Amino acid sequence: TGTVTLGPNDVAETALFSTTIPGRLLGNNGRLLGDVLCNSDSDGGANFTFRVKYGGTTYCSLINTPTGSASMAAMVNFTLLNKSASDANEGWGRYGQQSVAGDALDFGSGTVDSTADQTLQLTGQWGGIADPDRIMRVSYVDLFLVLPTSP
């Protein structure tokens, strides 16, 4: 919880949220689920890209296509699935914007060693300099750990 702001005219990829996932936490077939609430004073005609990374590997890249210069609220949902004891991972994400039909979806996979501590990171990046007043704020990030149970 807290607010991280990606300021005007900042076209570099910027970390919006970062945390360490302890090694072996995901075990076999464990999942991390994330919900991210964000808003912007103005989307100003430039695309905004959210990326979800685990261990430096990008698992989903979600692009907000602007609808004009109005403010917006959006939700990013993502899942990171550990498919084995160590290094077969999958991730997918969904981006939904207030008052806009359709969502951005993306899926990725990787071989990050989940037996070691790894960084989970959400980054953001403006696609161009279209509005000097645009600001993207991340208001909160919720993470949920889901471990499989034996019948």
Side-chain angles (χ1 to χ4, degrees), residues 1-2 12 15 19 50 58 66 85 88 90 110 112 116 119 123 130 137-138 140 151:
T1 303
T19 190
F50 293 97
T58 299
E90 292 181 350
V112 174
T119 300
T123 67
R137 289 183 201 85
V138 173
Y140 74 80

Side-chain angles (χ1 to χ4, degrees), residues 147-151:
L147 298 174
T149 57
S150 300

Side-chain angles (χ1 to χ4, degrees), residues 7-52:
N9 295 325
D10 190 350
V11 295
E13 184 176 15
T14 302
L16 300 173
F17 171 81
S18 183
T19 190
T20 299
I21 305 301
R24 302 194 189 283
L25 180 68
L26 293 175
N28 291 331
N29 300 311
R31 290 179 290 155
L32 278 176
L33 309 177
D35 295 324
V36 182
L37 179 66
C38 50
N39 63 30
S40 173
D41 292 340
S42 169
D43 55 12
N47 286 346
F48 189 83
T49 302
F50 293 97
R51 292 182 186 91
V52 177

Side-chain angles (χ1 to χ4, degrees), residues 38 43 48 50 62-65 72-77 93-98 102-106 136:
C38 50
D43 55 12
F48 189 83
F50 293 97
L62 306 165
I63 299 173
N64 161 38
T65 302
M72 63 143 191
M75 179 69 90
V76 176
N77 310 107
R94 173 187 163 273
Y95 169 86
Q97 183 176 332
Q98 174 188 19
D103 296 325
L105 302 169
D106 194 30
M136 179 64 71

